[in-house]
Amino acid sequence: MRNTQDTQLLFELSHAGRRATRLPACDVPETPVAELLPAGVLAAAPPELPELAEPHVVRHFTNLSTQNMSVDTHFYPLGSCTMKHNPKRNERAAAYFGALHPLQPQESIQGILRLLYEAQQYLCEISGLPACSLQPAAGAQGELAALLVAAAYFKDQGQSHRRKVLVPDSAHGTNPASAVMAGFGVVTVKTKTSGAVDMDDFHAKLDDDIAVFMITNPNTVGIFEPNMGPIAEAVHARGGLIYLDGANMNAILGIARPGDFGVDMQHYNPHKTFSGPHGGGGPGAGPICVTDKLAPYLPAPVVAKRGEGREASGENGGAEYFLDFDRPKTIGRLRSFLGNVGVMVRAYAYIRSHGPDGLRAVSDNAVLNANYLLSRVKHFLPVPQGDRCMHEFVASGAKLKSERGVSAMDLAKRLLDYGYHAPTVYFPLTVKEAIMVEPTETESKATLDAFAETLFKITGEDPDLLHEAPHTTPISRPDEVQAARQPRMCYCG
C-alpha cells in the first residue's frame, strides 16, 4: 500500500517549530555572529527553510524513491543506452575511495592512481588500441574528445583541409553533434534496409577531404557491420581516420577488438559495457582509446608510471604512478581533478571480477538473451533487420499503427502499467515506429518470457485504453517538449 501523504514538497509539509534535532543549551559565553564575521558576508535574514521532524523527512524521500523505476526494481528493456545490473560489490569498491580528497598530493594517493593506470591498460587491451585517457566525463564527451584529437592530429600534419566527417544515418544522434562541435562538417551516409552501410553511397561521398568516418559497431539496429574491413581500408587509403562509437561494446567483449578491425579511436560507455551510474543518476564517464599516432593529442592528464624495474620497495614494487601533464600536443583538460573516479573504480572492479573469460561470457549472454527475445517478439512485431541480432534489435510498430491505430509510444507507455520500463522508441529513424529492445546479459528466461507475453497482450488491448496509458503512474503523459525546454527546477511557492 503506497503512502502518498508525504510526497508533497518539503516546504508544503513544513510546520513552524518542528525539529529533527535540538541542540543543548550553550555552556560557554555566547558571541554574536556579527562580531565574528565581516558585515559584508552576513545575510540580512535567516534563509527560509522547511521545518520538519525526522520521520517526515525519511518518509518523504523514501516514498519519492519508490515512485521511480530502477534496475533494482524493474526490468529495463531499454535499448541503445541500456541500464544494466550493477553488482553491489562494485558500489562498495567505489565507496572505499570516497574519503580521498581531490587535492591530496600524488604521493599520498598511489593506490587510486595505480588502479586508474591499470584501468587504462585494461581498456587498451579490450579495444586493441594502445593509448587511453580517462578524462571525458560521459560518452558524448568522449566522442567530442576523440574528434578534437583528430582535428589536432590533422592540424599537426598540415592537413587542416580535412573537415568532412561521414556518419551513417543509423548513428546515435550525438555523433553528428560531436563532429559539429569539434569544427567538422557532417555528411550523412545512407544505410540499406538490412541496416548495413550502403557501400555505393559511402564510396560516392568518400574523397580526399575526409577526416573521420564515425561508426557504431555493432550498430543501432543490432547488427555487426558486415563491410567494416572494406570501409576501414577505403578510409585509410584516403588518409582519414575511423572512429568507433563504443556504446555497444557490451556485445563484443572478448570476441572482437575495434583496433583489430581498423578503428583508430573509440570511446567506452562504462555504464553499459562494464558497470556504473548513467545519465541523471551519474556522473558518468567516457574514456577514449586511440592508436599510437594519436596518443600525443589525448586529453591530459593521463595516469602514467615510472621507476619500473628499479629496486623494488613498497607496495608498488618501486614504481611511482603520477598524473602526466607534460604532453605538449594534448587537446587539454576536459575534467577537473582525476575525472569521475568513482565510475572508473566500478569499471575496474567489473573487469577484474569477470576476467577475460567472464567478459566474453557477458557478451555471449547479452547476445543470447537479445536473440531469444527477438525470436519471441518477431511474430507479432516485425523486425525489419531479420532473424539474428547482436545485443539488441529494433522492432517496427508500423503495422500495429496502420491496422489498429496504436503507436510505438502507446505501446511503450502501456508497458509502464505492467511494471516494465519503456523501451527506446522512434530510434533509429530508419525504422518506422521503431521499438528498440535490449534485455542485457543478466536477465533470466522467465523475465524475458513474461516481457514477451506482456508485449503480445498489449498489442491486443483496446486502442483507447492504450492512447491514455499509463494509468498507474503519478503522472500520465506530460508535455515532453515543454518539460525539456521549460523545466521548473526550483520551488516557486
Side-chain angles (χ1 to χ4, degrees), residues 9-146:
L9 297 176
L10 291 177
F11 283 98
E12 295 170 334
L13 294 170
S14 175
H15 286 267
R18 281 187 179 170
R19 294 286 185 277
T21 302
R22 292 187 184 279
L23 300 176
C26 185
D27 58 357
V28 297
E30 294 188 32
T31 302
V33 69
E35 296 179 12
L36 300 173
L37 298 174
V41 301
L42 293 175
E48 293 185 17
L49 298 175
E51 299 177 63
L52 300 125
E54 183 175 304
H56 296 101
V57 177
V58 173
R59 287 174 188 163
H60 171 77
F61 286 108
T62 302
N63 286 327
L64 285 184
S65 72
T66 62
Q67 293 187 356
N68 274 331
M69 283 191 164
S70 74
V71 290
D72 287 341
T73 57
H74 296 81
F75 173 38
Y76 263 64
L78 187 55
S80 189
C81 273
T82 281
M83 298 279 285
K84 67 188 291 177
H85 171 63
N86 298 159
K88 297 299 174 276
R89 61 176 175 270
N90 299 356
E91 301 299 313
R92 291 194 294 273
Y96 179 75
F97 293 95
L100 293 177
H101 193 283
L103 294 177
Q104 279 186 235
Q106 293 186 37
E107 59 268 23
S108 71
I109 55 170
Q110 285 295 294
I112 188 64
L113 290 178
R114 176 179 176 178
L115 184 152
L116 295 175
Y117 176 84
E118 292 180 357
Q120 292 176 171
Q121 304 300 105
Y122 293 139
L123 295 180
C124 288
E125 174 61 27
I126 293 168
S127 68
L129 295 165
C132 179
S133 171
L134 306 179
Q135 275 274 299
Q141 196 181 41
E143 294 176 24
L144 175 62

Side-chain angles (χ1 to χ4, degrees), residues 147 162-167 175-176 179-180 182-189 209-214 243:
L147 271 293
R162 293 184 181 274
R163 310 307 304 164
K164 180 190 287 188
V165 172
L166 300 181
V167 184
N175 284 188
V180 170
F184 293 103
V186 174
V187 176
T188 302
V189 177
D209 290 335
I210 185 173
V212 179
F213 185 86
M214 298 184 79
Y243 171 80

Side-chain angles (χ1 to χ4, degrees), residues 26 64 76 81 110 177 192 253 302 312 325 348 384 435 457 472:
C26 185
L64 285 184
Y76 263 64
C81 273
Q110 285 295 294
K192 303 196 304 187
L253 290 173
V302 297
F325 288 95
Y348 177 88
I435 303 166
K457 181 179 180 181
T472 59

Side-chain angles (χ1 to χ4, degrees), residues 198-444:
D198 183 326
M199 294 300 288
D200 291 336
D201 194 51
F202 163 70
H203 284 294
K205 293 169 178 173
L206 179 65
D207 57 30
D208 292 336
D209 290 335
I210 185 173
V212 179
F213 185 86
M214 298 184 79
I215 187 167
T216 305
N217 195 21
N219 66 17
T220 55
V221 294
I223 66 168
F224 192 92
E225 173 56 52
N227 296 305
M228 191 65 235
I231 289 173
E233 185 176 342
V235 169
H236 289 154
R238 293 280 188 164
L241 301 171
I242 298 288
Y243 171 80
L244 180 88
D245 180 325
N248 298 333
M249 281 293 291
N250 60 324
I252 59 173
L253 290 173
I255 301 171
R257 303 196 309 170
D260 295 341
F261 55 73
V263 168
D264 298 288
M265 46 190 177
Q266 76 156 94
H267 84 269
Y268 285 95
N269 280 350
H271 69 268
K272 182 175 178 180
T273 304
F274 307 114
S275 68
H278 170 245
I288 60 174
C289 292
V290 300
T291 57
D292 280 327
K293 69 181 181 183
L294 299 175
Y297 310 95
L298 280 173
V302 297
V303 185
K305 178 182 178 182
R306 60 189 167 205
E308 196 170 24
R310 68 189 181 189
E311 185 177 354
S313 63
E315 62 181 19
N316 290 335
E320 177 189 8
Y321 298 89
F322 65 102
L323 298 174
D324 183 9
F325 288 95
D326 186 18
R327 306 175 68 84
K329 295 184 178 181
T330 177
I331 63 168
R333 188 161 199 159
L334 295 176
R335 189 69 176 86
S336 57
F337 305 114
L338 308 184
N340 289 334
V341 169
V343 181
M344 296 314 306
V345 172
R346 292 175 174 91
Y348 177 88
Y350 191 88
I351 294 169
R352 289 296 302 268
S353 59
H354 281 83
D357 294 339
L359 290 178
R360 172 158 186 149
V362 165
S363 289
D364 286 344
N365 289 328
V367 174
L368 176 63
N369 274 3
N371 278 284
Y372 178 72
L373 198 50
L374 167 64
S375 73
R376 294 289 316 265
V377 167
K378 66 180 181 181
H379 304 296
F380 56 91
L381 283 176
V383 179
Q385 279 73 38
D387 293 335
R388 292 288 183 273
C389 67
M390 297 294 289
H391 57 296
E392 66 190 4
F393 62 89
V394 181
S396 173
K399 184 178 179 182
L400 187 65
K401 186 173 184 181
S402 63
E403 293 182 352
R404 307 200 67 229
V406 173
S407 68
M409 181 64 76
D410 293 335
L411 189 150
K413 293 290 187 183
R414 182 59 174 156
L415 278 169
L416 301 176
D417 288 332
Y418 286 94
Y420 296 103
H421 193 283
T424 298
V425 293
Y426 300 117
F427 178 79
L429 301 177
T430 51
V431 178
K432 293 181 179 179
E433 293 292 319
I435 303 166
M436 178 186 281
V437 178
E438 182 170 11
T440 81
E441 71 280 1
T442 51
E443 299 299 340
S444 68

Side-chain angles (χ1 to χ4, degrees), residues 450-488:
F451 177 70
E453 289 159 10
T454 300
L455 266 180
F456 179 71
K457 181 179 180 181
I458 290 173
T459 58
E461 290 184 328
D462 182 349
D464 289 338
L465 178 70
L466 302 183
H467 296 328
E468 302 296 326
H471 302 277
T472 59
T473 55
I475 298 174
S476 181
R477 293 205 185 192
D479 185 329
E480 296 176 357
V481 175
Q482 183 177 2
R485 297 184 177 179
Q486 298 177 314
R488 291 177 59 182

